[in-house]
Amino acid sequence: MGGVSNATLSPLPSSDRPDVAARLRDALLGASFTADGLLELLGAPAYAALARSETVPALRATRGDTPLEALVRLFLLQQPVPHTRVEGVLPVDVCVESGWLARVGGDELAATVDVRPYGGPDGEDWFIVSDLGCAVGGAGGIGSRAEGVVLGVGGASTTLAGITVRTPVSSALDLGTGSGIQALHAVQHATRVTATDLNPRALHITALTLALSGAPDADLREGSLFEPVRDDETFDLIVSNPPFVISPGARLTYRDGGMGGDDLCRTLVQQSGERLNEGGFAQFLANWQHVEGEDWQDRLRAWVPRGCDAWIVQREVQDVTQYAELWLRDAGDHRGDQAEYQARYDAWLDEFEARKVRAVGFGWITLRRTAAAEPVITVEEWPHSVEQPLGDTVRAHFDRLDYLRAHDDAALLEGHFRLAAEIVQEQVGLPGAEDPEHVVLRQHRGMRRATKVDTVGAGFAGVCDGSLSAGRILDAIAQLVGEDPVMLRDRTPAQIRLLVEQGYLDPA
């Protein structure tokens, strides 16, 4: 690996002092150093700027002398704070002794790690620990200075946490845990959580995150991908926000997987199948290559392991120049020597050219282990806005797959359905036209899909309240429109299947 050794990073607090972490947690909560407290103190614009790694608005908002302002400057903005400002707020001596704080400049204190308040899904007050310099929400350029840096909360980590299925399980695995965000979520609903990372510093920081959040411990193991997992171990849930960036070389541990192209993501997906218990979920964020002469959807279908249903959603596509620029800026390379920046940019394009890559896709991959003879693989593009959290939506998607797989067309027509919540109908056509050109059903929850239907499909969905079977509804529609009911029964099940699969209709 290139970059600078971990010796350039700050020494970390002790991870074997849960008593100190508990005292520090109580002190932070006592001063309202929470997600809600920050929003109230800073205001929405400054709070949002922090997520973009911009600290100036928050610095301006913390020029007062309250305990909360001092803590924000200390742990989030990484500014030295006079000892007298925090001695009545924090247990200073034990925090210094255990390494959470360091004495600097005579009578000042500085944090040794970044601590960010993070609100749990049920209103819990958690704290995510990460390396200094990782201005909240991103690398902030630190990547160009230290290869083993451990980042804090970012858009990718919150996205994965939001799409993860949250049902009580016996065992969960967080691969590439980083600062421990996914493990922190998992310990709330899994009896046993294993968290792995190639970077030992990340495992140390995960232990700090769990302790400071007052969460149960996880089994922390060092190693790449499934290497730390025993051959006989299987799990009910596997989650990973892997170092998925497709880059030349493996310069930065937090983002570069060290394999060529999208091989790391492919390997992770393919190897996860045999590690899942039946009915278990594996959920990942990933990048994948769009290769000249190859259908990207076929590429991803080939990744899915045998015995697994899959739902793969492409959320974004960038051409190779946009992609290279994004990650060069993420690492702060654009701030240094211009010639070096251009050389790295050129190397990135050389890599893509050699692999005939024209673009890179980003999205979500969910697998579910199934005993079904014919697993279902759905690969789609949906770049539009969605409503997080989506864990229940993901679980319901696979429940509907089971229903559809168990019901042939005859059984489907005997079934009863209900229109899902918050579905609206839109009629699209020229102003003044007697009939619409087409009808659109639109979801206002979950995936927020929109799909075209014909007048029969719209009418069918509109009267689905669970009281009548699908066949009886179609018979009534046939009588209204003067169509042969047998022909209508023959041609409509495919449309009903689509409406069920995409979540417009729920089996009653």
Side-chain angles (χ1 to χ4, degrees):
M1 285 187 179
V4 182
S5 73
N6 286 359
T8 62
L9 295 166
S10 299
L12 294 173
S14 171
S15 60
D16 57 3
R17 292 291 305 273
D19 57 320
V20 177
R23 289 183 64 186
L24 177 55
R25 172 179 171 77
D26 288 343
L28 297 177
L29 294 176
S32 297
F33 187 67
T34 63
D36 289 342
L38 279 187
L39 182 59
E40 184 176 347
L41 170 68
L42 302 178
Y47 189 76
L50 277 179
R52 301 191 301 270
S53 306
E54 297 292 348
T55 57
V56 171
L59 284 167
R60 293 174 61 84
T62 54
R63 291 177 290 191
D65 58 2
T66 67
L68 180 55
E69 286 168 295
L71 294 180
V72 171
R73 283 186 164 255
L74 187 64
F75 287 114
L76 271 186
L77 305 178
Q78 285 132 44
Q79 301 292 308
V81 174
H83 185 286
T84 54
R85 288 283 310 279
V86 293
E87 61 182 350
V89 182
L90 299 176
V92 171
D93 290 342
V94 293
C95 284
V96 170
E97 177 197 351
S98 58
W100 288 95
L101 298 175
R103 300 187 192 278
V104 295
D107 64 346
E108 291 187 314
L109 296 166
T112 59
V113 287
D114 182 298
V115 176
R116 177 184 176 176
Y118 179 73
D122 295 316
E124 303 95 339
D125 288 314
W126 294 338
F127 299 96
I128 307 300
V129 179
S130 61
D131 269 312
L132 294 174
C134 301
V136 179
I142 192 172
S144 61
R145 300 194 293 277
E147 68 182 25
V149 66
V150 179
L151 302 189
V153 183
S157 52
T158 55
T159 294
L160 179 59
I163 67 172
T164 300
V165 175
R166 301 292 176 196
T167 53
V169 294
S170 296
S171 57
L173 172 64
D174 175 15
L175 279 179
T177 188
S179 57
I181 300 165
Q182 309 309 323
L184 177 58
H185 279 275
V187 295
Q188 313 302 317
H189 65 101
T191 304
R192 174 175 58 88
V193 174
T194 303
T196 71
D197 205 289
L198 183 63
N199 183 2
R201 188 176 182 86
L203 297 176
H204 189 137
I205 284 180
T206 291
L208 298 176
T209 289
L210 294 174
L212 196 58
S213 297
D217 293 334
D219 180 3
L220 307 178
R221 304 182 194 174
E222 183 181 342
S224 176
L225 298 180
F226 289 98
E227 286 176 5
V229 179
R230 296 191 308 272
D231 291 343
D232 62 345
E233 281 185 290
T234 56
F235 301 88
D236 301 312
L237 174 66
I238 299 172
V239 293
S240 183
N241 176 19
F244 53 66
V245 178
I246 300 170
S247 62
R251 197 163 53 96
L252 304 175
T253 304
Y254 74 87
R255 72 169 199 196
D256 302 327
M259 296 186 187
D262 52 16
D263 284 354
L264 182 133
C265 291
R266 175 184 57 79
T267 300
L268 180 60
V269 173
Q270 289 180 336
Q271 292 183 354
S272 63
E274 62 187 11
R275 298 294 186 174
L276 279 177
N277 296 324
E278 186 172 333
F281 287 92
Q283 299 187 261
F284 316 103
L285 301 186
N287 274 173
W288 43 80
Q289 298 173 149
H290 286 228
V291 179
E292 185 178 336
E294 178 184 70
D295 186 306
W296 68 270
Q297 294 183 327
D298 290 342
R299 181 183 191 85
L300 289 172
R301 286 190 184 95
W303 289 11
V304 179
R306 293 180 62 183
C308 288
D309 293 323
W311 184 21
I312 301 173
V313 182
Q314 180 167 272
R315 297 286 291 154
E316 184 179 1
V317 181
Q318 291 184 313
D319 67 47
V320 292
T321 59
Q322 292 173 312
Y323 188 80
E325 290 163 14
L326 168 69
W327 291 108
L328 287 166
R329 288 183 177 275
D330 172 83
D333 292 327
H334 64 298
R335 298 176 181 171
D337 179 76
Q338 184 66 18
E340 184 179 2
Y341 171 78
Q342 291 179 343
R344 284 181 171 160
Y345 197 154
D346 209 33
W348 223 307
L349 297 186
D350 281 344
E351 176 93 355
F352 284 134
E353 186 176 322
R355 296 178 177 275
K356 297 185 178 180
V357 177
R358 295 291 174 259
V360 177
F362 166 80
W364 318 326
I365 297 177
T366 300
L367 308 177
R368 186 190 59 170
R369 190 80 186 174
T370 179
E374 295 185 17
V376 176
I377 300 174
T378 303
V379 184
E380 63 176 316
E381 185 164 19
W382 187 251
H384 310 292
S385 64
V386 298
E387 182 189 48
Q388 286 274 34
L390 277 168
D392 287 345
T393 299
V394 172
R395 180 183 48 77
H397 169 87
F398 288 93
D399 288 345
R400 292 193 300 270
L401 285 188
D402 286 340
Y403 177 88
L404 292 172
R405 193 157 37 202
H407 290 73
D408 60 16
D409 285 356
L412 198 69
L413 292 175
E414 292 297 319
H416 293 237
F417 301 93
R418 285 194 181 90
L419 188 66
E422 297 193 41
I423 304 291
V424 298
Q425 175 180 306
E426 300 172 359
Q427 298 189 153
V428 181
L430 293 173
E434 185 174 340
D435 297 312
E437 292 178 20
H438 57 260
V439 177
V440 173
L441 297 182
R442 187 178 300 277
Q443 301 169 348
H444 282 270
R445 302 293 301 273
M447 290 293 288
R448 293 178 174 162
R449 296 184 185 277
T451 191
K452 292 181 184 178
V453 292
D454 61 20
T455 52
V456 171
F460 179 86
V463 297
C464 279
D465 61 3
S467 61
L468 296 175
S469 70
R472 292 196 51 193
I473 293 174
L474 290 179
D475 291 344
I477 291 175
Q479 188 173 6
L480 281 173
V481 299
E483 189 168 340
D484 182 344
V486 175
M487 292 185 64
L488 194 61
R489 279 174 172 255
D490 282 346
R491 70 177 175 85
T492 308
Q495 191 168 193
I496 297 174
R497 284 186 182 277
L498 179 66
L499 292 176
V500 172
E501 180 184 340
Q502 295 193 344
Y504 294 93
L505 295 176
D506 294 321

